[in-house]
Amino acid sequence: MNTFRRKIGSRLRKRVPRNIREYLIKKVTLHDVETHAHHFTINLTLKNFMKYQLEHKLEIELSSAGTKYVLDYRIEQNRLQIEIPYIVLDDMDGRASIELKYNQKQMIVGLDGDEESQRLSFFSNDKYFNVSTQGSLVIENLLPGYRFNMEEPVEVDHLSAAYGHLHLEFKERMDSECHLACLYQSRLRVLENVFVEDDTLVAEDFNTLTEGHPTLYLLHGHELAPLTFSGDALTMDTMNHEITYLSEDGYLTLEITKHEIELTRFDASVEDDHINMQFAFNSPATLHTLLIVDATTGETVEVPFSSSEETMTTEIHVPLSALIDTVSRKRLVLVTSGPEPIRLQLNISNLDTIGFPGRFQAEYQHEVYKIWFYGRRDGLLGFNVAQRPLRRQVVQVDDFTLHGYIKGQDAFIDCTPHLAFVDRYSQEYARVEVDERFRVDLRSVDIIDIKSKDKTVIDLFVEIVHSSGAVLRREKIKLKDAVYKKDTHYGRQEIMDSLGNTHYHLITITPFNNLKLESFMIPSSIELPEDRVEKDMNVWLLGERYDTAQDNGYAMFRWLKAHTDIEAYYVIEDTSEDYQKIREESNILRFGSKMHFDVAFRAGVLLGTHDLENLLPYKAARGFFGYEDTVKIFLQHGVLGRKPVEYHRKYYDLPFDLFIVSSEAEKRDVVMNRMGYSDEEVAVTGLARFDLLPYDNAPKDILLMPTWRDWINTDEMFLDSEYYARYNSLIHNARLNRLLEDNDVRLNFYPHYRAQGYFNDEHMDLGPNIRFIRLGQQTVQDLLIQHALLITDFSSVSFDFTLMQKPVAYYHFDAKRFFRQGSLRPIPETFIGDIAHTEEALVDAIEAYIHNGFQPKTNDLSGIFTYQDHNNRRRIHDAVMDKINSIGD
């Protein structure tokens, strides 16, 4: 039905002009919030609704901590006004949602214009709330660790300022623990380096502030009090901003703007390894440095130059390396000289054109780059650099031979294109030189020689190799018109080595249709079954990833051995640290051992937290030793509902027979409606590892545990990524480190297993209260139990933390890119805790939790966990037995 509606909607969009559709499509948008004596009103704008229909078909309900309230509303012309009594919010520590239903269908609420310019925040009962929209309306208690004393504002007697210094004099002596903080629309910025001298506060560091119109507060402990001021407006400069202090409705507010200088002319030209830039200004300035600021990470490169005093023109020779080494958009900033330097943003809004003929090319390190200057939306001068695209594709697979093409190699100087075959684990490789159109017989490539282990994955890349041997570009190559299935292949080769071992090489693809080879070896000592293998439904083979024993697979294995007569086995690589911890237990199988092959041939039930490739020493596909006759159970490694995952039913020739989930919402909304499984193929049991979580421990340390980014494929991409820059910056944040030291709190950093080699104590200078935790040093579950606050981004380990009734802070600096393929459930339903989009906002949240003793917010978890007990493993066992019996029948 949904597919049919989308098709009809698509046809209407194509056939009905936009101006006509605007009169047909119903829209609801959030406009603003008004406060009154005993309630507040959320004002929504309606479009293309009839009033009499709304009055009879509209339902509005607020949900908070499991309690629901029916809300009153009024409709006046095109405005819907929803009334919420303040008393409803008095006990709300987290967030509440308001659902609007029209004719029993949920209405999607959008945003009316620029959120920053609207009044969407208000105070009630010493708390600060904000209204936003994420499909439904969301009311959030911002800064729950603080108390807002709006009834007792503090009067500023006198205000004075100079460059980088602010003096506030009060009528009474100030406590030495007082600080200053700026409250923006929905975030708090605490000023660093604030000193108290009797009745005066002196602020000397404004680097945490950003553009906007915040209100200034006095911060003492957890209490924030607004400042009142009746004097004249006062303006001061800092390095980055001009700040004007003024009285607004009696409160002391700030107008913070960037320093700008208007360009009357701008020209640029390329000479060898430099770009020459000529600037002309509408006012004189004494300049000495050009800053090139990465628009994503904020990292800067300084280019010193000399200019005549009080000049209105200047010329700067900028090395190409400063502009090209990180391929991204950048801002250009000029810095004045002298004891009071100012960073000037370059305003080109009054220039008709930039004095350069569009995009141009520059040669740098044997490669031709496209570079261009442009006018940003805010009127400032921007710069962008891009690599030439490398078009490549395999168009046909024929008898273990690849047919394809490469285009774009003319952007490289003295270089040759190759197909590279790279072992995913060891990075050992083989190369084949190719032409623009190529035909490569894979039987001519020595795959066996580069394999790191008996069962491995070989990724295929196009490489551009310079005559010196340097690889200038490495990019994956796709298979045209491929249909992704995890348990199938496009070509197959069997080859025997000199020791009599048989190697299977299979051509397969990734979820993005990138080509890869999967290879596994069957040792000569293994006796293969001659006929169709008879599976034993009392032999269960369990596992997680090849190298771990700390998730749902291991928890389930231990329970089965202790509570059932099932012949349960756990498989893991003997090179992993987890194997060393469990090797003495019974029924532990070394991956690829003779015993592993024997059990894999017999096992009737396969239970894994990831793809079942991790359990078998051969390909998990039809035709390989009776795999099609096994009962396949997906134990999961988290709660689904955030980003799309690769376990959709359509991705398998032989899908899972049973899919384990934690709630009815996860089952219906995600696994059935979004992933294609039927009711009888999904069991609501809870995850096995949840049984081992305590609900009453009280630690005091912080765990930083980010997940991975699937768009990072190489070392260079990682080190140049925003991901690396953001977390590197976070653990070196001066305010965070001071908070940890002052409060005797330790932050333990446990990166994703794929990032461990980059984030570690050998490469990074960690603070005295920040510790790096190596993979395998402790289990993930032990880490979660031992900490009071979890900082993550999108990782599903947050559900374990939430189930233990402990707080989580989310760092969503790249949420738009992470959710580029959409999310499976609305963000408020699965991200239970504080969401920070900037480093300072995250440090604010950490500070609040440290100050309130790591107290969690009150949240309704019924939409995430149907069961909050320690019987999940028993329910999983019973569900698997029911599935076995139903298949047997």
Side-chain angles (χ1 to χ4, degrees), residues 529-540:
E530 294 183 1
D531 301 319
R532 188 176 183 89
V533 180
E534 185 70 28
K535 296 297 182 180
D536 186 341
M537 292 300 159
N538 196 54
V539 178
W540 292 17

Side-chain angles (χ1 to χ4, degrees), residues 34-42 74 82-87 122:
E34 296 178 359
T35 56
H36 306 277
H38 303 290
H39 71 275
F40 68 97
T41 302
I42 299 177
R74 294 194 307 275
I82 304 173
E83 291 188 5
I84 300 100
Y86 289 130
I87 194 171
F122 62 95

Side-chain angles (χ1 to χ4, degrees), residues 618-671:
Y618 44 82
K619 177 67 178 174
R622 191 187 301 275
F624 288 97
F625 312 109
Y627 175 76
E628 57 268 35
D629 297 324
T630 59
V631 177
K632 293 163 280 294
I633 312 298
F634 185 46
L635 292 175
Q636 284 217 62
H637 50 281
V639 176
L640 298 176
R642 292 178 177 171
K643 72 169 186 174
V645 292
E646 300 172 16
Y647 302 105
H648 196 291
R649 200 178 193 282
K650 68 182 179 181
Y651 294 151
Y652 297 89
D653 177 39
L654 298 167
F656 294 111
D657 296 292
L658 191 65
F659 201 119
I660 300 301
V661 297
S662 298
S663 70
E664 287 292 339
E666 184 183 3
K667 174 178 178 175
R668 299 286 174 184
D669 298 344
V670 180
V671 182

Side-chain angles (χ1 to χ4, degrees), residues 671-708:
V671 182
M672 292 178 61
N673 294 344
R674 304 291 290 274
M675 300 176 69
Y677 289 85
S678 63
D679 181 77
E680 61 272 13
E681 292 173 326
V682 190
V684 180
T685 64
L687 302 187
R689 69 171 187 259
F690 289 166
D691 285 351
L692 307 178
L693 296 174
Y695 295 159
D696 56 358
N697 68 319
K700 63 171 291 186
D701 290 334
I702 300 171
L703 178 63
L704 172 60
M705 191 175 174
T707 190
W708 185 244

Side-chain angles (χ1 to χ4, degrees), residues 515-780:
L515 273 167
K516 69 181 191 296
L517 297 178
E518 294 183 54
S519 178
F520 66 87
M521 183 194 80
I522 299 183
S524 59
S525 60
I526 300 298
E527 185 176 346
L528 300 181
E530 294 183 1
D531 301 319
R532 188 176 183 89
V533 180
E534 185 70 28
K535 296 297 182 180
D536 186 341
M537 292 300 159
N538 196 54
V539 178
W540 292 17
L541 179 58
L542 299 95
E544 297 164 1
R545 290 198 310 261
Y546 294 110
D547 57 353
T548 64
Q550 52 183 269
D551 202 339
N552 297 308
Y554 185 61
M556 193 69 209
F557 165 72
R558 294 286 300 272
W559 187 90
L560 289 171
K561 286 203 305 176
H563 296 89
T564 73
D565 294 328
I566 289 167
E567 193 179 336
Y569 295 88
Y570 190 88
V571 61
I572 184 172
E573 287 186 332
D574 60 4
T575 56
S576 70
E577 292 192 35
D578 282 359
Y579 172 75
Q580 302 305 320
K581 300 173 184 177
I582 66 172
R583 59 182 300 178
E584 301 300 327
E585 296 183 31
S586 62
N587 291 9
I588 299 296
L589 305 178
R590 292 183 298 108
F591 196 97
S593 65
K594 190 175 186 303
M595 186 66 173
H596 183 203
F597 273 97
D598 176 64
V599 171
F601 291 151
R602 293 189 298 119
V605 184
L606 306 176
L607 305 93
T609 59
H610 296 69
D611 276 317
L612 301 180
E613 287 290 345
N614 293 271
L615 274 63
L616 299 175
Y618 44 82
K619 177 67 178 174
R622 191 187 301 275
F624 288 97
F625 312 109
Y627 175 76
E628 57 268 35
D629 297 324
T630 59
V631 177
K632 293 163 280 294
I633 312 298
F634 185 46
L635 292 175
Q636 284 217 62
H637 50 281
V639 176
L640 298 176
R642 292 178 177 171
K643 72 169 186 174
V645 292
E646 300 172 16
Y647 302 105
H648 196 291
R649 200 178 193 282
K650 68 182 179 181
Y651 294 151
Y652 297 89
D653 177 39
L654 298 167
F656 294 111
D657 296 292
L658 191 65
F659 201 119
I660 300 301
V661 297
S662 298
S663 70
E664 287 292 339
E666 184 183 3
K667 174 178 178 175
R668 299 286 174 184
D669 298 344
V670 180
V671 182
M672 292 178 61
N673 294 344
R674 304 291 290 274
M675 300 176 69
Y677 289 85
S678 63
D679 181 77
E680 61 272 13
E681 292 173 326
V682 190
V684 180
T685 64
L687 302 187
R689 69 171 187 259
F690 289 166
D691 285 351
L692 307 178
L693 296 174
Y695 295 159
D696 56 358
N697 68 319
K700 63 171 291 186
D701 290 334
I702 300 171
L703 178 63
L704 172 60
M705 191 175 174
T707 190
W708 185 244
R709 302 299 187 269
D710 58 19
W711 56 84
I712 300 177
N713 299 313
T714 65
D715 292 354
E716 293 77 12
M717 288 180 67
F718 183 91
L719 295 173
D720 290 339
S721 67
E722 181 185 13
Y723 178 74
Y724 174 75
R726 291 277 192 165
Y727 285 108
N728 186 22
S729 176
L730 175 64
I731 64 176
H732 292 96
N733 183 283
R735 183 158 69 97
L736 173 60
N737 276 268
R738 188 162 58 254
L739 271 171
L740 298 173
E741 290 185 58
D742 291 347
N743 294 277
D744 191 27
V745 172
R746 176 179 289 175
L747 185 146
N748 292 317
F749 184 22
Y750 185 69
H752 188 273
Y753 75 96
R754 293 178 66 180
Q756 285 264 330
Y758 305 101
F759 289 124
N760 63 66
D761 51 7
E762 294 178 358
H763 294 84
M764 307 184 76
D765 180 21
L766 304 178
N769 281 48
I770 295 180
R771 183 167 67 101
F772 177 82
I773 300 179
R774 297 181 183 278
L775 186 67
Q777 189 173 335
Q778 291 178 272
T779 68
V780 170

